């Protein structure tokens, strides 16, 4: 009897685990995109800084960073930790916000019950970005937490004992890149909230205009102004012209103000990227602006359509102009560190441009290669499927999705016991032994987190210390939300 009870209980627990985590398999052998979409958004709750709301679902996280901003007598609580550390870097956080907003604008109708979750993820960031932009006249706060001190510690965000230095840009210490991206995030989010919360939308747009004016008037890179506070972590390697283009493109979409169109024209469109990331926005701006050429048939934007297609020709594997490597298993391979961030962002552009082409029954050529909307969308789907487990080692690179996923991710909160299990504070060095260097799986599953991904041989060691492959980041996840919503319906 006891044995029968035990096996019944075991079966029940397995069923429950599958119910919570999902088995990751959908219809026709495709991954369960709906499940992946839900989890990709849930991940953002695990990255929250500040006072957590009553409806917080990631229960192993608690309040953190409640005095953020106090060193400069301002309230900078809230926002997101960018990755597996406890620093708030606004440059990648604002890009994350822009991409979540773009995903919601393009694919919100396909999100179903996840649309409110997407809005909540955006608002957690924009509430913080508004504080950063409005706290003091003539100042834009761009980060909280000394990254050099933080990276020497392995402790939960709830226990942070490192100094919460605040960083800002101003007319004398400009940051056109971080300001341009912040303006893009606020403008894109204003469109998301336009119908559901008009007053909030208006505040976002007013602030976006001011921040963009600052980016344009006081030119300079925030890397030069802030040095080791942001480099080498989130240095603006591509300069700030791409953020000026991106910010203006979003403000043009949000306002229809000819000022932004005229400003765009002064920047030219002669850059030839083959990447899209938190640092390099050219390709994203080209696809965003090409929407006007394709959907509205506005000839003024034809050059951006050509630039967008030139970008696609650098990505497509059979294109004579391709500059993109693929692994044996079919994964786009751009750079060895955190490669999936480029896979998710480029997959977003492939899906979105393919969607625009489909709406107008358009095709184009990359030399001898004939490109249809399905050429782009099919490639994006293969990348998303690879991430969700259709790869040589059958590893899902989204934590908690499918039967086999990374168990030892490079993430402080996930790898250390929660406050409820270990109420005593864990000091700066106390987290390394026995937690960081342990071979055991992380005690807390950061459901939905997409990690840096496999190496160029499709291999993945699942090693906590290998942050280039095992660290999740907000900007990896933000870009996969759109394609997941598209493929889910």
């Amino acid at each position: 009897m006891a044995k029968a009870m035990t096996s019944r209980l075991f079966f029940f627990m397995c069923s429950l685990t599958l119910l919570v985590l999902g088995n990751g398999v959908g219809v026709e052998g495709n991954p369960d995109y709906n499940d992946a979409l839900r989890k990709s958004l849930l991940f953002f709750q695990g990255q929250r800084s500040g006072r957590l709301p009553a409806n917080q679902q990631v229960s192993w996280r608690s309040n953190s960073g409640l005095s953020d901003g106090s060193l400069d007598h301002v309230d900078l609580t809230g926002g997101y930790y960018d990755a597996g550390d406890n620093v708030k870097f606004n440059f990648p956080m604002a890009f994350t916000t822009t991409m979540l907003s773009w995903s919601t604008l393009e694919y919100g109708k396909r999100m179903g019950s996840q649309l409110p979750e997407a809005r909540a993820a955006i608002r957690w960031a924009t509430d913080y970005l508004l504080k950063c932009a409005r706290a003091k006249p003539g100042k834009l706060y761009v980060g909280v937490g000394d990254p050099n001190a933080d990276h020497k510690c392995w402790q939960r965000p709830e226990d942070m004992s490192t100094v919460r230095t605040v960083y800002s840009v101003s007319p004398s210490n400009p940051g056109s890149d971080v300001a341009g991206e912040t303006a893009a995030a606020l403008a894109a989010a204003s469109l998301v909230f336009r119908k559901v919360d008009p007053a909030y939308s208006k505040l976002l747009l007013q602030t976006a205009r001011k921040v963009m004016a600052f980016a344009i008037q006081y030119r300079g890179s925030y890397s030069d102004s802030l040095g080791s506070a942001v480099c080498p972590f989130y240095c603006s390697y591509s300069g700030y012209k791409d953020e000026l283009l991106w910010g203006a493109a979003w403000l043009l979409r949000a306002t229809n103000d000819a000022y932004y169109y005229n400003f765009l024209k002064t920047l030219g469109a002669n850059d030839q990227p083959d990447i899209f990331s938190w640092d390099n926005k050219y390709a994203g701006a080209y696809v965003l602006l090409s929407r006007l050429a394709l959907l509205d048939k506005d000839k003024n934007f034809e050059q951006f359509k050509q630039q967008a297609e030139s970008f696609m020709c650098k990505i497509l594997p059979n294109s004579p102009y391709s500059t993109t490597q693929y692994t044996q298993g079919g994964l786009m391979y751009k750079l060895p560190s955190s490669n999936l961030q480029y896979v998710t962002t480029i997959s977003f552009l492939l899906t979105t441009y393919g969607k625009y082409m489909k709406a107008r029954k358009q095709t184009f050529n990359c030399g001898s290669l004939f490109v249809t909307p399905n050429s782009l969308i099919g490639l994006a789907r293969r990348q998303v499927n690879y991430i969700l487990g259709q790869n040589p080692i059958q590893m899902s690179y989204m934590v908690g999705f499918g039967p086999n996923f990374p168990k030892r991710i490079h993430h402080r909160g996930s790898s250390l016991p929660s406050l409820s299990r270990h109420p005593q504070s864990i000091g700066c060095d106390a987290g390394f032994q026995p937690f960081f260097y342990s071979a055991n799986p992380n005690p807390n599953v950061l459901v939905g987190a997409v990690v840096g991904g496999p190496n160029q041989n499709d291999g993945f060691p699942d090693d906590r210390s290998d942050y280039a492959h095992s660290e999740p980041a907000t900007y990896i996840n933000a870009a996969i939300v759109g394609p997941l919503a598209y493929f889910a319906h």
Side-chain angles (χ1 to χ4, degrees):
M1 181 67 188
K3 196 171 178 188
M5 280 296 287
T6 310
S7 50
R8 229 175 284 156
L9 184 68
F10 176 74
F11 178 76
F12 172 73
M13 292 307 287
C14 286
S15 307
L16 195 65
T17 305
L18 279 176
L19 201 65
V20 174
L21 292 179
N23 66 5
V25 180
V27 289
E28 297 164 7
N30 273 325
D32 184 342
Y33 300 119
N34 271 308
D35 187 44
L37 172 64
R38 182 177 67 78
K39 288 171 176 165
S40 70
L41 288 165
L42 182 63
F43 157 76
F44 289 94
Q45 293 194 19
Q47 296 302 109
R48 283 171 169 171
S49 181
R51 191 172 296 284
L52 302 183
N55 64 356
Q56 169 82 6
Q57 292 168 267
V58 179
S59 56
W60 50 266
R61 281 294 324 283
S62 302
N63 300 335
S64 62
L66 297 183
S67 63
D68 282 2
S70 60
L71 289 178
D72 216 16
H73 310 292
V74 289
D75 171 15
L76 299 179
T77 56
Y80 291 114
Y81 302 115
D82 70 295
D85 53 30
N86 299 328
V87 187
K88 296 192 305 206
F89 290 101
N90 288 25
F91 193 36
M93 197 198 306
F95 176 70
T96 295
T97 312
T98 312
M99 291 308 295
L100 277 174
S101 298
W102 196 2
S103 300
T104 306
L105 291 170
E106 293 291 347
Y107 305 106
K109 289 193 174 89
R110 294 167 177 260
M111 286 181 179
S113 63
Q114 293 309 300
L115 181 56
E117 301 300 329
R119 288 191 192 120
I122 294 162
R123 191 161 189 151
W124 195 266
T126 51
D127 282 352
Y128 165 77
L129 293 174
L130 283 171
K131 291 177 182 180
C132 291
R134 297 167 64 81
K136 282 194 181 172
K139 241 185 195 185
L140 173 67
Y141 288 96
V142 299
V144 183
D146 178 336
N148 296 288
D150 179 89
H151 284 70
K152 292 190 183 97
C153 296
W154 196 261
Q155 61 185 155
R156 302 175 292 207
E158 294 82 1
D159 291 332
M160 276 184 290
S161 54
T162 50
V163 60
R164 299 299 281 170
T165 315
V166 292
Y167 301 97
S168 60
V169 292
S170 63
S172 55
N173 277 300
S176 298
D177 26 36
V178 69
E181 183 57 76
T182 303
L186 296 171
S190 78
L191 290 162
V192 171
F193 293 104
R194 187 165 277 179
K195 285 187 178 142
V196 287
D197 192 339
Y200 188 65
S201 171
K202 196 174 168 188
L203 177 65
L204 290 167
L205 191 53
Q206 282 171 345
T207 312
R209 280 183 180 273
K210 283 181 186 155
V211 175
M212 193 66 200
F214 168 80
I216 293 169
Q217 189 174 350
Y218 304 105
R219 304 275 177 109
S221 172
Y222 96 133
S223 306
D224 297 335
S225 295
L226 293 172
S228 65
V230 295
C231 294
F233 314 102
Y234 292 105
C235 235
S236 181
Y237 297 103
S238 68
Y240 58 78
K241 195 180 106 177
D242 55 318
E243 278 81 27
L244 291 178
L245 181 69
W246 179 238
W250 275 109
L251 273 152
L252 177 65
R253 179 155 174 190
T255 64
N256 232 351
D257 185 338
Y259 166 79
Y260 296 110
Y261 171 70
N262 293 328
F263 175 69
L264 278 173
K265 298 300 270 186
T266 68
L267 296 170
N270 46 9
D271 294 87
Q272 298 281 325
D274 65 353
I275 209 156
F276 177 44
S277 70
W278 58 261
D279 178 41
N280 191 323
K281 320 289 161 56
Y282 286 114
Y286 297 156
V287 170
L288 180 65
L289 292 164
S290 69
R291 178 176 172 272
L292 294 158
L294 276 164
L295 301 188
D296 299 352
K297 299 188 174 164
D298 187 334
K299 289 277 184 267
N300 291 313
F301 294 90
E302 193 62 35
Q303 70 178 109
F304 299 110
K305 175 175 172 282
Q306 283 162 15
Q307 291 293 104
E309 287 168 3
S310 161
F311 170 77
M312 302 301 163
C313 291
K314 290 186 169 68
I315 303 300
L316 287 162
N318 302 323
S319 161
Y321 309 116
S322 181
T323 57
T324 304
Q325 278 183 293
Y326 286 81
T327 67
Q328 201 101 45
L331 181 72
M332 204 179 283
Y333 196 80
K334 282 292 180 185
L335 287 165
S337 188
S338 191
N339 176 58
L340 288 188
Q341 65 176 303
Y342 310 110
V343 179
T344 62
T345 50
I346 291 169
S347 295
F348 179 94
L349 295 185
L350 289 165
T351 309
T352 304
Y353 196 75
K355 186 174 80 116
Y356 296 162
M357 287 171 68
K358 210 171 229 188
R360 287 283 177 260
K361 299 186 170 56
Q362 295 272 321
T363 59
F364 65 91
N365 291 303
C366 299
S368 56
L369 181 72
F370 179 64
V371 182
T372 67
N374 287 342
S375 316
L376 303 183
I377 294 166
L379 176 57
R381 188 191 285 268
R382 288 194 295 280
Q383 300 307 302
V384 169
N385 288 358
Y386 183 110
I387 291 170
L388 296 179
Q390 292 186 7
N391 54 58
I393 61 169
Q394 296 187 307
M395 166 71 79
S396 157
Y397 293 102
M398 178 182 282
V399 174
F401 182 86
N404 186 25
F405 54 83
K407 305 289 195 299
R408 296 165 196 83
I409 65 172
H410 181 95
H411 188 278
R412 287 157 175 76
S414 169
S415 68
L416 295 162
S418 66
L419 277 177
S420 60
R421 277 190 45 219
H422 189 293
Q424 302 82 8
S425 181
I426 296 171
C428 170
D429 297 327
F432 288 105
Q433 291 287 6
F435 305 110
F436 180 80
Y437 294 114
S438 159
N440 293 331
N442 287 3
N444 306 308
V445 181
L446 183 57
V447 173
V450 181
V451 297
N455 58 32
Q456 63 196 51
N457 303 314
D458 299 297
F460 183 74
D462 197 9
D463 174 357
R464 198 174 291 115
S465 63
D466 179 14
Y467 63 85
H469 299 103
S470 69
E471 187 170 18
T474 51
Y475 41 88
I476 307 180
N477 265 66
I480 203 172
V481 167
L484 286 173
Y486 184 76
F487 297 133
H489 296 280

